[in-house]
Amino acid sequence: MRRTQVEVTKQRSAATRPDSDQDLQSFLDSVETNLQYAFQPIVSVDTGIAHGYEALLRGVERLGAASIPAFFDDVHDRGWLSDVDRVLLRKALRAVRTLPSETARLFFNVDARLLSQGAPFVDEIVRELAANDIDPERFCLEIPESQDVVTGDTAVDAFHRLNAAGAHLALDDFGQGYSRLRLIHELAPHYVKVDRYFIEGVHSEPKKRLFLSRLVDVMHVFGIRMVAEGVETEEEFRACRDLGFDMVQGYLIQRPTQDVDHVLSVYPGVAKLNRRERRNRSTDMSLVRSQMEELPALAIDLPMIEVFEAFRRNRHISVFPVIDEVRAPVGVVRDSDLKAYAFSPYGRELMVNKAFGLRLRDLVEPCPTASIDMPIEKILEIFAHRSDAPGLLLAEQGRYVGFLNSTALLKVLHEKTVAAARDQNPLTRLPGNLSIQDWVLDAIPDRSSSFVLAYFDFDSFKPFNDTYGFRNGDWAIQLFAELLQKRFTGEGVFIGHIGGDDFFAGFRAEHPGEVASHVAELVAQFAFEVESFYDAATRERGYIEARGRDGELRRFGCLTCSVGLLALPADRADLGADTVMDEVARLKKQAKLRSSGIAVSTLR
């Protein structure tokens, strides 16, 4: 009979463990004393807000190990892997409580060989989280792809158990090791962290961009968040953002540090860069720039001999933009217009003859012109009026900057459509997280206006899903989305779907009380209408019986919604994004404790 991995490990442990238990305890004391954790942030690519911190082990050389893998190989050979891991987990959990964010996750690396223990391994993690008063939602287990993870029933069951407890799973170093997509299918991780190999120089390597763009799209289909590891330059950061990565990690953001005073909850450099890019995105400027050709322009008073020479030197260019003395676009000249003269008898000589020849301005052909900061739809509308034109001239502050041919224009429109569809929630067709983040981060620095931010979260949704099935759960989500859109319409209102049973609404509003009143009516209407989703007996008794995360049978009330309302008055101080997000997190928890299901706060 084939022995299980657990049996092999136990036998090996018995053979290698020293006779004295003190030997193990002494080693664990050394681990406690000599090993420390450095933390490196994993931040939102759009906001700079720390989504989590990876705990990175330091100090193994003080215990005689040449490297971290060698250290774990040694303790595994001694049969002490579980004991050492327990000490390290406790150290990491104690350290993470000192970090600035109360909502960011701890990303904790684990040796894949521990997975053979299955449920006991997960139960130990859950006990340690409870002992340190850390919500399992804030814990993410990182599994290195470079280790040959056995995705058998034991490992898969362990991950499902971990997920049921509320914790998360990340597949680390993706692309470095075995690259087995089977891991994605069987383990269903919440995050995939792409190895530095694919990130380095991605902005200048088309093959890497093509690979990563397809990979990101596939992972997003499965609801997996993508993290780019080892981002070191602004060019790599921009490329990762444009490819659709959700988060980034690397020296550009912050090097690993053991000094928790240097760890931030939001990284202003990223936020500043993205505020600049968001303005570009909101006007479609970045998309237009990515496709336009910076064709050299010809001055309208250029002698014709130099015009011929320009076409001769640039045989791949069939059309040149023409500008006036202040670099404003005038039109274009085509090589076909010159050929008619050049191939006729004495045509070229006549054209270059200053006394008798034609001037460049006589050959200039009108061409549609648009400002580069116009919406793409407007640029397309301008071009549509002259579909026979070779393309469209682009100007910035009145000066020529580039040329957009018809193929490039259609590609820009396609990319915008794809980007909008990618951000749109497929179930409700509402804007997704990227649009929500844009709205929030544009509202925060605008202190000339008053805003109200509303975060909606269903109550008792999991028991409802477990009892009535995911299709009914989707119907409940769609019902709420329809009610939300019907009640909140008009200028100054933004509605988005964060995901699952979480929604967002933003209001440019002078009177938060009015918003709170409408929100209370919406919550009441949803609670009333969703009752029809339950059977008669459940409606009569007012609750359902289902198992909670701990597996115990409990009573849960019928579906309703909790709401955190955060008012940002026009006379407020200069608020940071981290302050706003921390207050939102506090309000969401507070709302669930109130009978009304609504918690309101004002930041001044």
Side-chain angles (χ1 to χ4, degrees):
M1 180 182 295
R2 183 178 180 181
R3 294 176 297 170
T4 66
Q5 182 65 39
V6 174
E7 292 170 337
V8 172
T9 302
K10 286 182 177 178
Q11 181 173 334
R12 190 176 189 181
S13 299
T16 58
R17 184 187 296 271
D19 294 335
S20 173
D21 289 337
Q22 184 61 39
D23 290 337
L24 170 60
Q25 188 57 53
S26 297
F27 187 81
L28 295 180
D29 290 342
S30 297
V31 168
E32 178 67 41
T33 303
N34 292 287
L35 300 191
Q36 302 296 329
Y37 274 106
F39 290 93
Q40 188 175 36
I42 299 168
V43 306
S44 165
V45 74
D46 293 295
T47 66
I49 295 173
H51 179 82
Y53 305 96
E54 182 177 0
L56 299 166
L57 194 61
R58 296 291 185 265
V60 295
E61 68 281 354
R62 291 194 287 269
L63 297 181
S67 64
I68 293 176
F71 169 77
F72 282 104
D73 285 342
D74 179 55
V75 296
H76 175 265
D77 289 341
R78 298 190 190 191
W80 295 349
L81 186 57
S82 295
D83 302 288
V84 170
D85 183 78
R86 187 180 303 110
V87 173
L88 294 177
L89 176 61
R90 289 171 181 169
K91 287 179 71 71
L93 294 179
R94 288 197 302 270
V96 81
R97 296 178 65 180
T98 66
L99 296 178
S101 175
E102 296 181 356
T103 57
R105 290 187 171 90
L106 167 67
F107 284 69
F108 181 78
N109 291 274
V110 67
D111 192 296
R113 288 169 289 200
L114 288 168
L115 300 177
S116 62
Q117 297 178 10
F121 168 68
V122 175
D123 293 343
E124 179 68 27
I125 291 176
V126 174
R127 280 195 297 270
E128 292 296 337
L129 291 171
N132 286 274
D133 196 27
I134 294 178
D135 189 335
E137 286 283 344
R138 293 189 60 200
F139 183 81
C140 181
L141 195 70
E142 282 200 21
I143 305 297
E145 191 212 18
S146 52
Q147 282 189 302
D148 192 1
V149 179
V150 179
T151 58
D153 292 340
T154 303
V156 173
D157 289 346
F159 292 131
H160 288 169
R161 193 178 185 91
L162 186 71
N163 187 45
H168 290 232
L169 174 68
L171 185 61
D172 196 14
D173 302 326
F174 190 82
Q176 183 190 78
Y178 296 87
S179 300
R180 294 173 305 183
L181 291 177
R182 178 183 170 189
L183 288 174
I184 301 295
H185 179 262
E186 293 192 13
L187 305 185
H190 299 83
Y191 308 87
V192 164
K193 302 178 73 177
V194 176
D195 186 71
R196 164 72 181 162
Y197 168 81
F198 289 100
I199 304 303
E200 184 178 10
V202 63
H203 57 284
S204 59
E205 298 189 36
K207 289 171 68 175
K208 282 186 178 180
R209 289 202 303 274
L210 177 62
F211 172 79
L212 289 178
S213 67
R214 298 297 184 268
L215 179 64
V216 169
D217 287 342
V218 169
M219 296 305 174
H220 281 168
V221 167
F222 292 104
I224 297 171
R225 296 185 181 184
M226 297 296 290
V227 182
E229 289 186 302
V231 175
E232 296 184 359
T233 69
E234 289 190 6
E235 291 81 4
E236 290 170 355
F237 172 86
R238 291 191 183 97
C240 290
R241 182 199 57 219
D242 294 340
L243 286 167
F245 277 89
D246 303 287
M247 284 160 266
V248 293
Q249 177 182 6
Y251 287 175
L252 178 68
I253 312 303
Q254 187 177 51
R255 291 174 178 266
T257 177
Q258 296 180 46
D259 187 350
V260 294
D261 291 335
H262 291 167
V263 178
L264 307 177
S265 57
V266 61
Y267 287 79
V270 176
K272 182 178 180 180
L273 176 64
N274 276 291
R275 277 197 294 273
R276 182 164 65 247
E277 292 300 322
R278 270 191 297 279
R279 287 194 291 271
N280 290 348
R281 185 167 62 235
S282 65
T283 59
D284 299 335
M285 188 189 295
S286 58
L287 279 176
V288 173
R289 281 192 187 279
S290 69
Q291 295 299 324
M292 77 176 188
E293 297 177 85
E294 295 182 4
L295 295 180
L298 305 178
I300 196 166
D301 57 356
L302 192 69
M304 287 304 300
I305 188 66
E306 295 187 31
V307 175
F308 274 104
E309 183 63 15
F311 275 102
R312 188 191 67 79
R313 290 196 308 267
N314 301 277
R315 297 181 185 275
H316 63 288
I317 297 178
S318 61
V319 58
F320 272 99
V322 179
I323 57 175
D324 63 15
E325 61 277 4
V326 295
R327 295 195 58 79
V330 176
V332 295
V333 60
R334 307 191 199 207
D335 61 351
S336 57
D337 296 329
L338 295 183
K339 288 175 182 177
Y341 289 92
F343 293 155
S344 64
Y346 311 110
R348 188 174 187 276
E349 287 73 14
L350 288 173
M351 288 186 68
V352 300
N353 187 300
K354 294 182 178 180
F356 305 102
L358 296 174
R359 300 169 299 173
L360 176 58
R361 67 175 63 247
D362 296 324
L363 297 175
V364 170
E365 192 178 304
C367 185
T369 302
S371 177
I372 196 170
D373 61 357
M374 284 182 176
I376 289 174
E377 292 81 4
K378 180 63 177 177
I379 294 176
L380 184 63
E381 181 182 341
I382 291 172
F383 177 74
H385 291 299
R386 284 292 310 274
S387 58
D388 60 329
L392 186 138
L393 295 169
L394 295 169
E396 185 172 21
Q397 296 181 345
R399 296 185 175 187
Y400 165 79
V401 291
F403 182 80
L404 205 62
N405 62 40
S406 56
T407 301
L409 183 57
L410 291 175
K411 189 173 181 179
V412 168
L413 185 63
H414 171 72
E415 288 188 6
K416 181 178 180 180
T417 303
V418 170
R422 183 179 294 166
D423 185 49
Q424 189 181 73
N425 187 281
L427 182 62
T428 61
R429 303 298 181 188
L430 290 175
N433 285 309
L434 184 59
S435 299
I436 293 171
Q437 290 170 350
D438 283 350
W439 192 95
V440 173
L441 289 170
D442 285 341
I444 289 174
D446 183 3
R447 291 186 284 164
S448 63
S449 303
S450 298
F451 297 93
V452 177
L453 283 59
Y455 287 78
F456 302 86
D457 186 13
F458 288 7
D459 300 316
S460 303
F461 184 63
K462 184 179 184 300
F464 175 81
N465 251 353
D466 292 345
T467 304
Y468 291 96
F470 289 103
R471 176 168 294 185
N472 280 289
D474 287 349
W475 287 343
I477 290 171
Q478 289 173 321
L479 169 64
F480 187 82
E482 292 173 4
L483 295 176
L484 193 61
Q485 292 176 90
K486 287 179 181 178
R487 182 164 291 273
F488 299 118
T489 59
E491 189 176 351
V493 176
F494 172 84
I495 296 172
H497 188 175
I498 298 171
D501 58 330
D502 293 308
F503 289 82
F504 171 84
F507 307 88
R508 188 184 295 269
E510 296 293 334
H511 305 290
E514 292 182 6
V515 175
S517 177
H518 286 297
V519 165
E521 292 174 1
L522 169 67
V523 170
Q525 185 180 5
F526 173 67
F528 173 76
E529 295 199 18
V530 82
E531 282 188 0
S532 63
F533 288 41
Y534 293 86
D535 58 81
T538 301
R539 290 197 300 269
E540 180 67 25
R541 64 174 178 262
Y543 65 86
I544 60 176
E545 289 188 341
R547 297 192 181 278
R549 291 188 181 275
D550 57 4
E552 296 295 326
L553 197 63
R554 295 182 180 177
R555 291 181 178 181
F556 295 90
C558 293
L559 270 179
T560 184
C561 184
S562 294
V563 191
L565 289 174
L566 180 61
L568 304 177
D571 58 350
R572 64 186 179 275
D574 187 10
L575 300 172
D578 55 338
T579 301
V580 173
M581 299 310 296
D582 286 346
E583 181 64 8
V584 166
R586 187 188 70 82
L587 284 174
K588 289 173 66 176
K589 291 181 179 179
Q590 192 179 88
K592 289 189 174 292
L593 300 176
R594 296 194 172 181
S595 58
S596 64
I598 300 176
V600 184
S601 178
T602 301
L603 283 179
R604 297 188 178 279

